[in-house]
Amino acid sequence: MTTQRIGRADVGLRSERGPILLAVMLSVGLVAIDATILATAVPSVVADLGGFTQFPWLFSIYLLAQAVSVPIYGKLADQRGRKPIMLVGVGLFLLGSVLCGFAWSMPALIAFRLVQGLGAGAIQPIGMTIIGDIYTVAERAKVQGYVASVWGISSFVGPTLGGVFSDYISWRWIFFVNIPLGFAAAWVLVRRFEEKVAEKTGHTIDYAGAILLAVGGSLLLLGLLEGGVMWDWASPTSIAILAAAVVLLIAFVLVERRAAEPILPLWVLGQRVLNSANAAALLIGLLMIGLSTYVPLFAQSVLGTSALVAGFTLAAMTLGWPIAASFAGRIYLRVGFRTTMLMGALIVVLGSGILLTVGSTSSVLHLAAACFVIGIGLGFSASPSVVAAQSSVDWQTRGVVTGANMFSRSVGSAVGVAIFGAVANGVVAARLGDDHADLEKVPAGTLAPAIHDVYYGAAAAALLLVVAVLFMPNRITERPLR
């Protein structure tokens, strides 16, 4: 792995590749802002459209659509090129945003969030794939600072806009604000991003694999999300849904073994680098959704803050992440991927420990400090894992590998919604009975221990993250960009 010194003039926005980097940053900005802007506006959305018991679906349907579409986009990007797939993603995200802004009911909003999720399923992994295509490992150590700045800015812009819109204007503007940013991203992509895709005849699309993955994954998440809520875990409905999911996912594996160009090649599961990176991504996704969903709720309903202050509390995590990511490149070039990721995982454990000390009488700064430390740890863990995975393969499979990594993170987030939701609802039900009110109406004395148990789950995931990164090789033999 090279340690050559890379200057901003070589990789910055004014360099030859600068317009491509700008296009990626604008596109990723759509997903980055969405990651925090909705969480702070949930109480306003629920007050306007309906019951709080449906609110997890605003996140889970988005994550589910993102998860099941990521591998498909990754494969198509390897076959057709990155640019057209990225434009499809931006277009779907914008369409979903407009529809969400005009949603007339909670079911309609949930349905339109699915469209947004299908767009996000292309944007984030293809954006990372483009970065992997045009920059070496050493260059990415510098470029990470630019991409991380998008998340850093969004960590303040998202919660601020979410709080301002929900408190003073209308929550609907949290979706309409995506329109100018999306059009700018698409314009730069069309005008400035040129790529050469090797002509290859006889491409086949693994329709059977895509359908089995989408339906099987959807049923699995449906069973996890609604088990213990809409039906008992041991009920015939729950058993039938989960059994069907298992059967379809087994069929998916069998189809992928014989497909000419599988959506998710099984060799991805046979490499140490990729297994470690994907396991880490899954746990990172689980941690992120646990904090993104329940930290604002704790701040508002237990600590009594406004939506705007709750948003800034969550922003502490999304600010810590890009700060760490901007330094992670320099560190892994010197000490290796595993060492850098292990340091990050241990910092996440530390932050999770601080989070467990937060109680109903704590200050909002105490909660924000825990989130900030966790964000620092995630930044040191996540970015090196993606770079390691991309660097271990060539152009023809980089889209699939990046898609698999993003898929793992999305699945982790979706499963996290199910697990943490079950934990919180279980505690409230035990205290108030099965017919308890929506969570926003639950007394703070009951809600606090429910969310605190979610924090215990996050701490357990942090410990598992340490184990996952121990399997990552410290040094990776870099493959050519093309």
Side-chain angles (χ1 to χ4, degrees):
M1 183 163 23
T2 180
T3 58
Q4 69 183 81
R5 185 174 182 82
I6 305 295
R8 290 184 180 274
D10 300 314
V11 300
L13 294 175
R14 295 184 180 181
S15 68
E16 183 179 358
R17 292 165 289 181
I20 303 176
L21 176 59
L22 177 61
V24 172
M25 291 172 65
L26 289 171
S27 302
V28 171
L30 289 168
V31 179
I33 291 177
D34 186 81
T36 55
I37 194 170
L38 179 58
T40 57
V42 163
S44 297
V45 175
V46 170
D48 188 21
L49 296 183
F52 198 78
T53 54
Q54 293 176 303
F55 112 84
W57 275 102
L58 291 177
F59 299 94
S60 59
I61 199 69
Y62 174 95
L63 294 168
L64 176 58
Q66 185 180 33
V68 299
S69 63
V70 159
I72 300 173
Y73 289 131
K75 184 62 179 180
L76 291 175
D78 285 340
Q79 292 180 340
R80 313 295 184 186
R82 323 306 193 199
K83 181 177 178 177
I85 306 305
M86 180 69 101
L87 287 173
V88 168
V90 172
L92 284 173
F93 196 92
L94 282 180
L95 175 62
S97 297
V98 172
L99 292 173
C100 285
F102 288 108
W104 55 88
S105 66
M106 184 64 77
L109 182 59
I110 291 171
F112 299 147
R113 282 284 288 172
L114 183 146
V115 179
Q116 268 194 312
L118 291 175
I123 292 173
Q124 194 165 359
I126 305 306
M128 294 302 298
T129 302
I130 292 171
I131 296 297
D133 286 344
I134 65 176
Y135 295 107
T136 66
V137 170
E139 288 173 334
R140 269 176 274 169
K142 181 72 66 174
V143 170
Q144 280 181 11
Y146 288 91
V147 179
S149 70
V150 175
W151 292 91
I153 295 171
S154 299
S155 68
F156 283 99
V157 172
T160 301
L161 291 179
V164 169
F165 289 154
S166 60
D167 286 344
Y168 303 108
I169 306 177
S170 169
W171 60 265
R172 297 180 185 277
W173 281 94
I174 69 177
F175 298 107
F176 292 145
V177 75
N178 293 327
I179 297 173
L181 183 60
F183 274 113
W187 185 85
V188 176
L189 281 168
V190 171
R191 293 291 302 273
R192 305 305 300 268
F193 182 24
E194 300 293 338
E195 62 178 341
K196 295 180 180 179
V197 181
E199 294 293 334
K200 180 180 177 182
T201 60
H203 273 309
T204 61
I205 298 178
D206 180 18
Y207 292 106
I211 292 172
L212 287 170
L213 176 62
V215 178
S218 299
L219 288 176
L220 176 63
L221 269 297
L222 175 65
L224 291 173
L225 285 166
E226 298 301 339
V229 181
M230 293 187 66
W231 48 73
D232 293 333
W233 285 107
S235 68
T237 301
S238 182
I239 294 173
I241 289 176
L242 293 175
V246 171
V247 170
L248 290 174
L249 292 176
I250 291 175
F252 166 74
V253 173
L254 296 177
V255 167
E256 296 304 272
R257 294 178 62 182
R258 298 187 177 186
E261 295 188 64
I263 286 293
L264 187 61
L266 298 184
W267 59 259
V268 171
L269 306 178
Q271 294 191 18
R272 177 184 173 189
V273 174
L274 302 182
N275 284 338
S276 177
N278 293 340
L282 187 146
L283 291 165
I284 288 169
L286 191 148
L287 281 162
M288 286 173 58
I289 200 64
L291 297 179
S292 298
T293 305
Y294 289 97
V295 162
L297 179 60
F298 189 92
Q300 292 181 74
S301 299
V302 178
L303 300 185
T305 69
S306 67
L308 185 60
V309 173
F312 280 121
T313 304
L314 180 61
M317 180 189 72
T318 50
L319 176 62
W321 183 313
I323 290 175
S326 64
F327 288 101
R330 305 175 190 177
I331 296 176
Y332 67 63
L333 287 176
R334 294 182 180 180
V335 302
F337 288 105
R338 181 178 61 242
T339 303
T340 305
M341 293 173 63
L342 181 59
M343 177 182 69
L346 292 174
I347 294 175
V348 173
V349 172
L350 173 62
S352 299
I354 297 174
L355 189 61
L356 289 175
T357 65
V358 176
S360 57
T361 59
S362 299
S363 70
V364 70
L365 291 178
H366 187 173
L367 181 59
C371 293
F372 181 76
V373 173
I374 292 175
I376 291 286
L378 293 177
F380 281 122
S381 301
S383 299
S385 71
V386 176
V387 174
Q390 290 181 332
S391 302
S392 66
V393 298
D394 54 23
W395 189 95
Q396 288 75 16
T397 54
R398 194 170 290 131
V400 165
V401 165
T402 307
N405 190 267
M406 296 295 104
F407 174 72
S408 298
R409 186 183 296 183
S410 297
V411 169
S413 295
V415 172
V417 169
I419 294 175
F420 293 141
V423 168
N425 282 320
V427 173
V428 173
R431 289 172 173 256
L432 301 181
D434 292 334
D435 57 345
H436 64 273
D438 294 339
L439 284 183
E440 87 278 12
K441 299 178 181 178
V442 171
T446 299
L447 187 60
I451 298 180
H452 206 262
D453 278 4
V454 170
Y455 296 160
Y456 277 110
L463 293 174
L464 291 175
L465 180 61
V466 174
V467 177
V469 303
L470 288 174
F471 290 93
M472 173 65 70
N474 210 36
R475 301 289 178 179
I476 308 294
T477 301
E478 184 178 6
R479 303 294 293 271
L481 293 181
R482 288 302 299 260

